[in-house]
Amino acid sequence: MSLRNEILQVTKELLIKEGFSKISMRRIASRANVTATSIYLHFKNKDDLLLTLIEESIKTLKQALQDSVNSEYGLTDQLRILAETYINYALNHPQEYEIIYMVRPEEMPKYPKDKFRDVRSAYELIADIIRESDHHEYIEVEDSLISAYTFWAQLHGVVSVILNRRLDTRIPQSTFIDQSIEHIIRGFINQKTPA
Amino acid sequence: MSLRNEILQVTKELLIKEGFSKISMRRIASRANVTATSIYLHFKNKDDLLLTLIEESIKTLKQALQDSVNSEYGLTDQLRILAETYINYALNHPQEYEIIYMVRPEEMPKYPKDKFRDVRSAYELIADIIRESDHHEYIEVEDSLISAYTFWAQLHGVVSVILNRRLDTRIPQSTFIDQSIEHIIRGFINQKTPA
Amino acid sequence: MSLRNEILQVTKELLIKEGFSKISMRRIASRANVTATSIYLHFKNKDDLLLTLIEESIKTLKQALQDSVNSEYGLTDQLRILAETYINYALNHPQEYEIIYMVRPEEMPKYPKDKFRDVRSAYELIADIIRESDHHEYIEVEDSLISAYTFWAQLHGVVSVILNRRLDTRIPQSTFIDQSIEHIIRGFINQKTPA
Amino acid sequence: MSLRNEILQVTKELLIKEGFSKISMRRIASRANVTATSIYLHFKNKDDLLLTLIEESIKTLKQALQDSVNSEYGLTDQLRILAETYINYALNHPQEYEIIYMVRPEEMPKYPKDKFRDVRSAYELIADIIRESDHHEYIEVEDSLISAYTFWAQLHGVVSVILNRRLDTRIPQSTFIDQSIEHIIRGFINQKTPA
DNA sequence: AATGAATGAGGCTTCATTCAT
DNA sequence: AATGAATGAAGCCTCATTCAT
């Protein structure tokens, strides 16, 4: 593995293990068995390194979602698969997920706006799926973009609770996930609350 | 305002404006127009200061939720009101919310376990409401605790998206909130996904 | 006990328990259950407090030595009793001993010269005893002052080793003391090294 | 001179000139005309710096003692030479001596046990010499280890008095040393105190 | 491509002391 | 006689970064 990639990898690990505030050039360097100075041969500065990380992470999440799209699924199945994909990605790549969604913009100096736009395009993907669905009879879609965000927000909530270790220890994680997905999907079905 | 309160206030502001990692005793002191040393007259150390903040924030959130409980409501109404209360609290007290739920445990050295338990008791409140409801015919409650966490996770997702400024600028915040609550409540109604 | 005495007592305890460098006005105050400010009501400043401590400690050591002098003893017995008294005092009042002899003058800002002179008068006491002794046949006393210092130096060495916890744990302290006193006394007996 | 050595040297000087409690990273740096940060390029932290100093000092003392051992000497001569070597070392390397014996363990956080053992091995050296001597008829050696400690304690006392500047100014230092060595050696000769 | 040395800023914390009450 | 609030200096240490090699 090239040093550049090693640095990126190490940084991801540090991020998830010790949190954003504990990331330092020295720590990264030490983990990668190089001098802090060496990092500057591959990245302009700390911001550059972190932004590179963000970019790459966004790319892999988008790819994972796109790979789970199949026009042959019905809408419900498609949403369920998207939800599962999303949650799986987040739990299997907590570092990347952390970087994309859980690091507050304020902590990221000079986080450029076009990166944000890049992240948003992931929701467009979900919005497209909902919009293009044939199954309008089943679903509430006054506005597919809002629905996409609603869908995502709920998924993000589920993931956050787990990644932040706020889930009650008495609850098995898989049960929580299954039931959450069930709730989320059901919320999208076009049935008004019974009178 | 007493200096103690001023320090707490300033810290909250710093937290929301610049993020957790930018909080420092010097910065807090400077904002409060005192020497860093003076903070130690009111708090044992940085942890003590942050934990005080956490404790107080948890208290106010729990109070807000408790105040919104009324046994005369039907379950749906009660859940809706809880959801609204929760989201309103988070948006009106972003600093407090941030402290309670969005700061990663890793960033909080020695975050004591009993504080965690304190936070959890807020979910128990929700769990109790679901459990004690008369309206079992309407709701899926195989396990009220899991349901409470699911409910909370979804609310947390909605709040996170907004507080983290990840909501698409084309979407009005209030519309997003209303629709999200609708989805969440609907997900709890006892209707299986149509075959 | 008056607060003034309480402060002196607490300071002595701190000195022996935590070492000179750990003594601080705040720590002293906290141990005495008063505010740091209160110390300044009884002592001009930290130096004043420490010097008071020194003065009082010197006084008690001198008194102990003087009390162990009895003109009816023979020289050897008198020296042995002085040695025992000295070592006992040091071990029973380690704080005072520490203050008098083991704190380096450099650590004690503005340690006044007349205080040093006061300490020295303790050796004069020993010197006097040696000088006035009838038993010149037994002892090497070309210069009683030097002898007094030699005597003291050896006692001090014994005490230092114990107080500094440098004595090998395999050696019982009492055995070490007994044997040391034996050696010291014997060194004073007027017998040339066998050819 | 390398900065590392310069730092060690400067620290030794500070120790003897201002005392242990006045040693600070800033002061050391300032004396060495570098930033405090630079010290950390050569030593992990303050303890590491001090322990390095200790280790090196112990090594040189042990070497000096070992070099003065010669199996051709008689015991008395050997002890006298050891005593002279010891005192000479202490007076010529006061900083090192200070570090090894006069700094209280309490002041030295995390002073590792194996370092203590290292120091002790110096006494074992003396104990060995006494034990292996042919001249048992002349000497009291119920327990050579205790004798070694007694011997050392007395030497240490002599050195302490001088290094702590407690020797009466009327007494020439060399006279004091000569006479002290005489006393110490004589104390070891196998003659009971006359009845 | 990589390093070692260095720095200035800033992190948390404790210090002795003063001042108004 | 005692306190609480406050300060400026200093303690140890880590940071991101630069520069010469």
Side-chain angles (χ1 to χ4, degrees), chain C residues 136 138-142 147 188-190 192, chain D residues 179 183 186:
Chain C
H136 283 183
Y138 291 126
I139 202 163
E140 288 250 320
V141 263
E142 288 163 25
S147 287
F188 272 85
I189 301 311
N190 189 12
K192 289 290 177 195
Chain D
Q179 185 149 336
H183 278 244
R186 207 182 303 138

Side-chain angles (χ1 to χ4, degrees), chain A residues 20-21 98 100 104 106-107 124 147 149 152-153 157 161 165-166 168 170 183 186-188 191, chain B residues 15 17 20-21 98 100 104 106-107 124 152-153 157 161 165-166 168 170 179 183 186-188 191:
Chain A
F20 197 87
S21 64
E98 185 101 4
I100 303 176
R104 300 194 53 225
E106 284 81 3
E107 314 245 354
E124 307 274 6
S147 287
Y149 263 87
W152 168 62
V161 167
R165 283 162 235 204
R166 299 293 222 266
D168 196 296
R170 292 166 289 174
H183 277 245
R186 205 183 307 137
F188 272 84
Q191 294 286 346
Chain B
L15 184 65
K17 251 181 254 168
F20 195 87
S21 64
E98 184 100 3
I100 302 177
R104 302 194 52 221
E106 285 84 358
E107 317 245 351
E124 308 272 6
W152 169 59
V161 167
R165 286 167 231 197
R166 299 296 222 262
D168 196 296
R170 290 167 290 174
Q179 185 150 336
H183 277 244
R186 208 182 304 137
F188 273 85
Q191 294 286 341

Side-chain angles (χ1 to χ4, degrees), chain A residues 146 150, chain B residues 84 87-88 91 158 162 167-182:
Chain A
I146 298 184
T150 302
Chain B
E84 281 164 3
I87 293 176
N88 280 339
L91 300 187
V158 171
I162 296 172
L167 185 59
D168 196 296
T169 46
R170 290 167 290 174
I171 301 176
Q173 184 174 304
S174 64
T175 309
F176 174 65
I177 294 175
D178 289 347
Q179 185 150 336
S180 292
I181 293 182
E182 228 31 65

Side-chain angles (χ1 to χ4, degrees), chain A residues 20-21 102-109, chain B residues 10-25 27-28 31 46 50 53 94-95 98-99 102-104 107 163-165:
Chain A
F20 197 87
S21 64
M102 297 172 75
V103 174
R104 300 194 53 225
E106 284 81 3
E107 314 245 354
M108 211 109 58
Chain B
V10 159
T11 307
K12 280 192 231 166
E13 284 166 18
L14 267 181
L15 184 65
I16 204 71
K17 251 181 254 168
E18 320 212 7
F20 195 87
S21 64
K22 294 280 180 45
I23 290 181
S24 86
M25 298 304 256
R27 262 166 199 266
I28 294 169
R31 285 271 185 130
K46 197 186 179 185
L50 294 177
L53 227 45
Q95 302 103 334
E98 184 100 3
I99 291 164
M102 299 173 72
V103 174
R104 302 194 52 221
E107 317 245 351
L163 287 185
N164 277 346
R165 286 167 231 197

Side-chain angles (χ1 to χ4, degrees), chain C residues 15-22 76 80 98-107 109 111 116 119-120 123-124 138 140 142-143 145-147 149-150 152-154 156-158 160-161 163-172 175-176 179-180 182-195, chain D residues 15-22 76 80 98-108 111 116 119-120 123-124 138 140 142-143 145-147 149-150 152-154 156-158 160-161 163-172 175-176 179-180 182-195:
Chain C
L15 186 66
I16 199 68
K17 246 181 259 170
E18 320 219 4
F20 197 87
S21 63
K22 291 279 180 49
T76 306
R80 195 185 316 274
E98 185 101 2
I99 292 165
I100 302 176
Y101 289 125
M102 297 173 74
V103 174
R104 303 195 51 226
E106 285 81 2
E107 314 246 353
Y111 190 68
F116 266 125
V119 180
R120 280 177 184 151
Y123 319 139
E124 307 274 7
Y138 291 126
E140 288 250 320
E142 288 163 25
D143 183 324
L145 186 61
I146 298 184
S147 287
Y149 264 88
T150 302
W152 168 61
Q154 295 182 20
H156 176 60
V158 171
S160 295
V161 167
L163 289 186
N164 276 344
R165 283 159 236 208
R166 298 296 221 265
L167 186 58
D168 195 295
T169 46
R170 292 166 290 175
I171 302 176
T175 310
F176 174 65
Q179 186 149 335
S180 290
E182 227 31 67
H183 277 245
I184 292 171
I185 299 292
R186 205 183 307 137
F188 272 85
I189 301 311
N190 189 12
Q191 293 284 346
K192 289 290 177 195
T193 313
Chain D
L15 184 66
I16 203 71
K17 249 180 258 170
E18 320 212 8
F20 195 86
S21 64
K22 292 282 180 47
T76 308
R80 194 186 317 275
E98 183 100 4
I99 291 164
I100 302 176
Y101 290 124
M102 297 172 75
V103 174
R104 303 193 54 219
E106 284 85 356
E107 318 246 350
M108 207 119 47
Y111 190 68
F116 265 125
V119 180
R120 279 175 183 156
Y123 318 141
E124 308 273 4
Y138 291 127
E140 287 252 320
E142 290 164 24
D143 184 324
L145 185 63
I146 299 184
S147 288
Y149 262 85
T150 303
W152 168 60
Q154 294 179 19
H156 177 60
V158 172
S160 294
V161 167
L163 288 186
N164 276 346
R165 287 164 231 198
R166 301 293 223 264
L167 186 59
D168 195 295
T169 46
R170 291 166 289 175
I171 302 176
T175 309
F176 173 64
Q179 185 149 336
S180 291
E182 228 32 65
H183 278 244
I184 293 171
I185 300 292
R186 207 182 303 138
F188 273 84
I189 301 311
N190 189 14
Q191 294 285 346
K192 291 288 177 200
T193 312

Side-chain angles (χ1 to χ4, degrees), chain C residues 106-121:
Chain C
E106 285 81 2
E107 314 246 353
M108 212 112 54
K110 299 186 240 141
Y111 190 68
K113 293 213 166 156
D114 58 328
K115 293 293 178 311
F116 266 125
R117 231 170 286 132
D118 224 39
V119 180
R120 280 177 184 151
S121 72

